[in-house]
Amino acid sequence: MPVSRPLSDTDELISLIYSGPLESPPWGSFLDELGARMGARSAAIVLRLSRRGSPPLVIWGRRPDIGEAEARRIHGTHAELGHLDPLRNALDRPGAIHTLDEVVDRETLHANRFYREVLQPYGVEHQLGMYISEPGGWEGNIGLINGPEAPNFGPADKAMLTALRPHIERSLAIFARISREETELQALIDTLDRLTICTLILSGQGKILRANSAAKRMLAARSVAHVAGDRPYLTDQAANAQLQALIADALEAARANAEEPFVQALRVDSRCDRHIGVLVKSIRPTGAFSNESSPAVVVYFAGSDDEAQPIERLVTQLFDLTPSEAHLATLLATGSCLTEAAEKLKLTENTVRTYCKTILNKVGVRRQTELVRLILRSVAVLG
């Protein structure tokens, strides 16, 4: 396909390249269209990991007609024998582009184990591949395949891929950035799950953008909170009025890009005589361009006796408290008053008050409400 064709013939491909990172699987529509435009049986992107023996990420357009079980077997073999792939080994620098026939003769190819166990089962006889990479470290190939009955790829096909290369690599950089940020966010969410802290991220409209596993379980139970119109609501009406007021204040702080984030906590009486600590915090925009669909508020729920122990261990480490002091601090942070804490610890209220004063001195705050806020902020990775 000559590169001199009018822009109207190629602009759809460019659009599909840049929308590719948002698709699942990524670039599926682009690869479908690319294969069709260039008369190929299929097009694919293979992204490699640095560890030998790790399966590559293979993204097909129209995948060759082969059973799912056989495809999984070939994928595993691809990881094992990838170092024997003659075309991959030739695509060793940015911008390298070759056909399979340019890097290996037919006799040598047919004796190659990678050809026999990976390419041939897919019906691949002709290939065109180009090296692609992005500054963050992702690298791989984009390629076209044809069977033995189809013509080989030629100079016009090479020219087309070469013209598309800058756009493909920019799109790959976007994909890498999204993947890194999703991985970092998931790591934080997994941490909060292990701490049994229910976490909701709200948009500038107050709608739930993301909920971690603990929050999903809490919302499904509907004993403390539920979702209506994509917004969180507490079951207790009085507490819900407080929560909605806090969310509104946090949204206003986020819109104003306040120097100091809005942070407020409240206690919620739940069923089964348990209490939940709720923390609402505004999120400062990370860039100049944010809108109502961007993350604006995070809401944390922490509480219930059987969930307190993982948080208690963290409080011990963070604030250099004794186990007994950490136990009391955790009870206070998850909604218990001093009287209730004394009952749970089987201590007198005066003893608990003395403990509380010691904790305040160690942590460096003056009031119990400041202690609760500090603990919730710390264990929720707000610091």
Side-chain angles (χ1 to χ4, degrees):
M1 179 177 177
V3 75
S4 59
R5 292 183 65 169
L7 181 61
S8 60
D9 286 351
T10 58
D11 62 353
E12 183 182 2
L13 277 177
I14 302 299
S15 176
L16 292 174
I17 288 172
Y18 287 108
S19 62
L22 302 178
E23 290 185 317
S24 182
W27 298 292
S29 299
F30 162 65
L31 293 170
D32 278 345
E33 181 65 18
L34 180 66
R37 291 278 186 96
M38 300 183 70
R41 182 180 174 191
S42 188
I45 291 175
V46 180
L47 298 176
R48 296 191 292 270
L49 301 176
S50 59
R51 300 182 303 277
R52 180 170 174 174
S54 299
L57 174 59
V58 182
I59 306 163
W60 289 99
R62 297 186 307 276
R63 193 173 76 180
D65 187 16
I66 192 169
E68 196 63 38
E70 179 67 0
R72 285 196 298 270
R73 184 196 68 77
I74 295 173
H75 186 64
T77 305
H78 193 161
E80 178 188 351
L81 303 179
H83 61 290
L84 299 178
D85 181 352
L87 186 56
R88 166 187 161 174
N89 291 336
L91 301 175
D92 56 358
R93 66 189 185 282
I97 182 168
H98 299 290
T99 64
L100 186 58
D101 284 347
E102 289 174 336
V103 299
V104 63
D105 62 76
R106 287 283 132 181
E107 183 177 355
T108 304
L109 175 67
H110 291 167
N112 182 296
R113 188 181 170 194
F114 183 84
Y115 169 82
R116 296 196 310 270
E117 298 188 30
V118 177
L119 299 182
Q120 194 172 39
Y122 273 128
V124 177
E125 196 65 29
H126 303 300
Q127 270 187 296
L128 170 63
M130 181 177 68
Y131 178 99
I132 56 175
S133 63
E134 59 87 29
W138 285 77
E139 64 166 0
N141 308 323
I142 180 169
L144 301 156
I145 65 169
N146 264 330
E149 73 290 344
N152 202 351
F153 299 101
D157 302 305
K158 281 187 172 184
M160 184 63 179
L161 274 191
T162 300
L164 292 175
R165 178 189 158 211
H167 302 286
I168 295 170
E169 293 191 329
R170 290 179 196 132
S171 181
L172 179 61
I174 294 170
F175 174 77
R177 174 74 175 269
I178 292 172
S179 297
R180 283 193 294 269
E181 292 187 351
E182 281 289 320
T183 301
E184 292 167 2
L185 179 58
Q186 191 59 51
L188 291 176
I189 288 173
D190 289 345
T191 299
L192 296 175
D193 275 339
R194 286 194 294 273
L195 295 172
T196 63
I197 297 175
C198 305
T199 308
L200 301 176
I201 298 176
L202 310 184
S203 71
Q205 298 172 324
K207 295 184 177 182
I208 298 174
L209 293 176
R210 186 185 289 267
N212 70 343
S213 299
K216 290 176 182 177
R217 292 192 297 269
M218 177 193 69
L219 294 171
R222 298 179 65 88
S223 59
V224 176
H226 63 279
V227 178
D230 295 329
R231 300 172 189 272
Y233 293 90
L234 293 176
T235 304
D236 181 90
Q237 291 186 0
N240 181 61
Q242 295 180 63
L243 174 65
Q244 300 308 320
L246 293 182
I247 290 175
D249 289 342
L251 288 172
E252 184 60 33
R255 293 188 190 104
N257 197 12
E259 186 68 26
E260 289 295 325
F262 173 90
V263 183
Q264 287 292 336
L266 65 94
R267 163 182 156 156
V268 179
D269 295 328
S270 66
R271 298 172 185 173
C272 305
D273 295 325
R274 289 177 178 169
H275 308 291
I276 303 295
V278 182
L279 188 88
V280 179
K281 177 184 179 294
S282 62
I283 300 173
R284 289 193 67 185
T286 56
F289 305 102
S290 296
N291 56 30
E292 292 291 276
S293 65
S294 303
V297 174
V298 59
V299 182
Y300 297 97
F301 299 78
S304 91
D305 296 341
D306 54 344
E307 294 176 342
Q309 189 59 29
I311 303 175
E312 183 179 314
R313 287 197 297 268
L314 186 61
V315 169
T316 302
Q317 297 170 345
L318 284 174
F319 301 107
D320 194 25
L321 301 179
T322 68
S324 298
E325 292 166 347
H327 193 175
L328 172 57
T330 303
L331 289 173
L332 297 175
T334 53
S336 296
C337 65
L338 286 176
T339 301
E340 293 165 336
E343 291 176 359
K344 292 174 182 177
L345 294 173
K346 295 181 172 54
L347 298 172
T348 66
E349 189 169 339
N350 285 336
T351 301
V352 167
R353 288 185 186 279
T354 301
Y355 266 137
C356 187
K357 290 178 182 178
T358 302
I359 293 169
L360 295 176
N361 289 332
K362 278 191 174 183
V363 174
V365 295
R366 292 181 295 177
R367 293 190 296 272
Q368 185 180 321
T369 53
E370 294 175 355
L371 172 68
V372 171
R373 183 184 299 179
L374 178 61
I375 291 174
L376 285 176
R377 290 180 65 178
S378 300
V379 299
V381 201
L382 293 176

